Amino acid sequence: MFCDEKIIAVYLGQNEYRDIDGANCWFDVYHDIAFHTTEGYRLLLETDSYMISLGADGVSVTSKNEFKPIEHEWLEEYVDSFQDEVR
């Protein structure tokens, strides 16, 4: 939808200081496929050329060469591999 390249990794970004009261996020796959988040959290989808950010302020696509984490953000590997087949 935002990029034709295959997603190769997913990261969870969160505010280092957690100073935002009630900040939280979850990925809903039971009722629909949706990412619910508050300010201070985001998902980063990595492709060969881009970093796609899904956050409270919407979606942004940035070249990997120009990507920089948000100040005071921790990035944690969320999904580190994808398989073509489900076993």
Side-chain angles (χ1 to χ4, degrees):
M1 175 189 244
F2 299 103
C3 177
D4 292 333
E5 295 183 16
K6 181 179 176 178
I7 296 169
I8 58 174
V10 179
Y11 305 91
L12 176 64
Q14 56 187 312
N15 184 305
E16 177 181 9
Y17 298 112
R18 297 182 187 218
D19 56 355
I20 301 168
D21 187 37
N24 201 350
C25 69
W26 69 95
F27 193 61
D28 183 0
V29 295
Y30 296 105
H31 302 100
D32 198 353
I33 296 178
F35 179 61
H36 304 273
T37 188
T38 59
E39 186 178 344
Y41 284 83
R42 68 178 175 158
L43 278 182
L44 289 167
L45 311 177
E46 179 182 2
T47 72
D48 287 333
S49 304
Y50 300 99
M51 295 297 281
I52 303 167
S53 173
L54 310 172
D57 58 349
V59 176
S60 65
V61 180
T62 306
S63 166
K64 281 173 76 170
N65 296 340
E66 298 174 5
F67 174 77
K68 293 179 183 165
I70 296 171
E71 186 176 359
H72 303 295
E73 177 181 45
W74 286 349
L75 294 177
E76 174 185 352
E77 267 188 301
Y78 206 56
V79 177
D80 62 0
S81 66
F82 291 91
Q83 296 178 359
D84 291 334
E85 297 180 31
V86 176
R87 296 177 192 195

